[in-house]
Amino acid sequence: MSDGQSKKWFSRRKFIKTSTVAVIGGVATVGIISVPVLRSERLLLRPPGALAEDTFLASCIKCGQCLQVCPPQVIELAGINQGFGIGTPHIIPRVGACILCKGLPCVLACPTGALDHQISEGKEAEMGLAVISRPQTCLSIKGINDLVFKLADLEEIKSREELSVELMHIITKLLDRLTAKEKHSLKEQFDLIGMEELSAFDLRDEVMKDNLQWFVDFVKKSEQAKRGCRICLEECPIKEEQTIRFLGQKSNSSAKEEIWPIIQKTCVGCGVCEEKCPTAAASITIVPRLKWTGEAERNNLLPISR
Ligand code: SF4
Ligand code: SF4
Ligand code: SF4
C-alpha cells in the first residue's frame, strides 16, 4: 500500500469509528432521555400530603428527609425508569404500604412543603384511591374465606420454619373470630382444657404435631368460614370511618349473589389493602391521585348486614 492509499484507508477507518461512536452515543442519549418521557405518564404513589404532581415535582428538592423518618421505611426514591421525577419519593404498596403513622412524620420532615404541612392526620392524606382492579380473583366476590384460602396454600410450603410462621398468622387471626363453643372444641381436641385463654403459640405447636389436616377441616367448618374475605377492610388503617363497604349483587354467571367490596369516599389511597390482599396478584390496587366519584354506589348494589 502506497503512502497516499494508506492515509486514505486510515482516515476512512477513523471516520467509521467516530461515526459509530457518535451513533451509539446518540442512541444511548436518546434512550436515557426517552425512558423518563415514555414512563412519565404512569403516576407514582406519593407520600401523604404531596402537592399536585407538577407543583410537587417543582417543590421537592429530593433531599430524602421523608424516607429517613418513615418508621416502616416504605418510601423509595424514583429511579431513571420512573419518569421525570428522578430522585423524588414514592411508595410501592405491594412491597410496603404507608401505614399512615401518627403525626405523619414524613410531612413534618419535608423542608419545602412539597408534602403539605397543612395536614397532620392520616385521614387527610389524599394519596389516591383503592380500586377493585381484579374482580375475577377477589375472594369476597368468589365467596371464599381468607383463612380457608390461606390454609390451602400451606400444602405448597416445604420448610417447617416457614410453615410455622404462616400457621401463626392464620391462628392469630382465627382466634379473634371463633365462637366460645369453637374455642372450647379446640381446647378439648388438644387437651388444653385447663387453659383460661387459648394461646396461639400452644395451638400452633399442637397443629404442627401431625394435626394439620384435622385443623384445616376444623377451620372449614367454623362459623367464620361462611364469610368471604374482608382483609382489605380489616387491615385498613383508617379505623374510625368505613373505607370499604361490602355490597351484594346478583352474579352475571349464576343466580348466586356476589359480595363486592365497594370503596368509599373516606379511602385515602395509603395502599395497605393492596399490600395485604391475599390473592397472588392483589385484587385491590391503588390508583395514585384518583378522586372518588361514587360510581359503584350508584350501581344498584345492595347493603349486606352480615
Ligand atoms: S405517614 Fe406513611 S409515608 Fe409518612 S412516615 Fe408514616 S408510614 Fe411513612
Ligand atoms: S383483600 Fe379485599 S380485594 Fe383482596 S381478596 Fe380480600 S376482599 Fe378481595
Ligand atoms: S381502603 Fe383503607 S387501606 Fe385501602 S387504600 Fe383506602 S385507606 Fe388505605
Side-chain angles (χ1 to χ4, degrees):
M1 200 183 288
S2 70
D3 264 8
Q5 279 175 322
S6 159
K7 266 186 197 157
K8 264 191 201 160
W9 187 78
F10 271 118
S11 71
R12 205 167 65 219
R13 214 174 149 212
K14 199 173 163 194
F15 171 75
I16 291 169
K17 209 172 156 186
T18 316
S19 354
T20 308
V21 169
V23 168
I24 291 173
V27 168
T29 311
V30 169
I32 287 167
I33 293 168
S34 65
V35 167
V37 171
L38 293 174
R39 302 280 174 101
S40 62
E41 284 179 6
R42 222 182 55 200
L43 282 173
L44 297 175
L45 183 65
R46 302 297 184 188
L51 301 175
E53 189 68 10
D54 285 352
T55 325
F56 175 78
L57 288 176
S59 321
C60 172
I61 55 169
K62 301 156 187 169
C63 62
Q65 295 288 321
C66 51
L67 70 100
Q68 282 177 33
V69 299
C70 174
Q73 296 281 289
V74 292
I75 304 180
E76 296 184 17
L77 296 182
I80 193 164
N81 61 346
Q82 286 166 310
F84 278 122
I86 297 167
T88 54
H90 70 114
I91 292 165
I92 304 171
R94 195 62 168 165
V95 177
C98 164
I99 56 170
L100 301 175
C101 51
K102 198 161 186 277
L104 305 178
C106 50
V107 174
L108 286 175
C110 177
T112 66
L115 303 180
D116 189 354
H117 291 166
Q118 305 283 330
I119 73 160
S120 58
E121 285 188 71
K123 63 181 180 186
E124 300 170 300
E126 292 192 1
M127 299 161 73
L129 197 69
V131 294
I132 301 300
S133 47
R134 294 186 183 89
Q136 69 280 14
T137 59
C138 169
L139 300 181
S140 172
I141 298 170
K142 288 165 86 176
I144 299 174
N145 173 264
D146 56 300
L147 295 185
V148 172
F149 177 79
K150 285 196 161 180
L151 281 167
D153 263 7
L154 290 187
E155 286 171 10
E156 307 296 319
I157 298 180
K158 298 283 175 270
S159 125
R160 214 172 150 73
E161 287 71 31
E162 213 184 308
L163 179 66
S164 155
V165 171
E166 277 307 307
L167 258 180
M168 196 63 194
H169 285 147
I170 294 171
I171 290 173
T172 309
K173 218 164 246 307
L174 179 73
L175 285 181
D176 281 344
R177 300 184 190 171
L178 290 181
T179 63
K181 202 169 156 205
E182 287 168 337
K183 282 187 188 166
H184 188 77
S185 312
L186 274 178
K187 284 185 189 173
E188 273 186 339
Q189 169 70 19
F190 297 121
D191 229 356
L192 301 168
I193 284 291
M195 196 178 265
E196 203 170 307
E197 272 299 314
L198 200 50
S199 124
F201 284 102
D202 290 335
L203 195 50
R204 189 263 324 263
D205 292 348
E206 293 298 334
V207 174
M208 296 281 288
K209 290 181 201 159
D210 272 347
N211 287 313
L212 187 57
Q213 194 49 55
W214 182 91
F215 182 68
V216 172
D217 293 340
F218 171 85
V219 176
K220 280 186 185 164
K221 285 189 215 132
S222 63
E223 272 301 305
Q224 64 85 38
K226 292 180 187 162
R227 202 183 74 164
C229 175
R230 293 193 181 179
I231 290 288
C232 41
L233 177 63
E234 285 168 14
E235 299 285 342
C236 176
I238 306 271
K239 293 288 177 216
E240 64 275 22
E241 289 162 86
Q242 195 175 27
T243 51
I244 301 176
R245 291 173 73 210
F246 286 81
L247 303 178
Q249 65 172 350
K250 286 271 179 281
S251 152
N252 287 333
S253 52
S254 68
K256 208 174 112 253
E257 188 182 56
E258 291 174 339
I259 312 293
W260 282 64
I262 307 296
I263 317 305
Q264 305 297 294
K265 198 178 184 173
T266 42
C267 166
V268 298
C270 67
V272 170
C273 51
E274 180 176 332
E275 183 191 330
K276 304 287 181 186
C277 177
T279 54
S283 303
I284 186 166
T285 47
I286 307 304
V287 180
R289 311 274 186 190
L290 185 66
K291 300 276 181 231
W292 186 86
T293 59
E295 277 310 309
E297 286 289 33
R298 287 195 285 275
N299 213 12
N300 292 330
L301 299 175
L302 317 161
I304 295 298
S305 52
R306 278 165 269 154

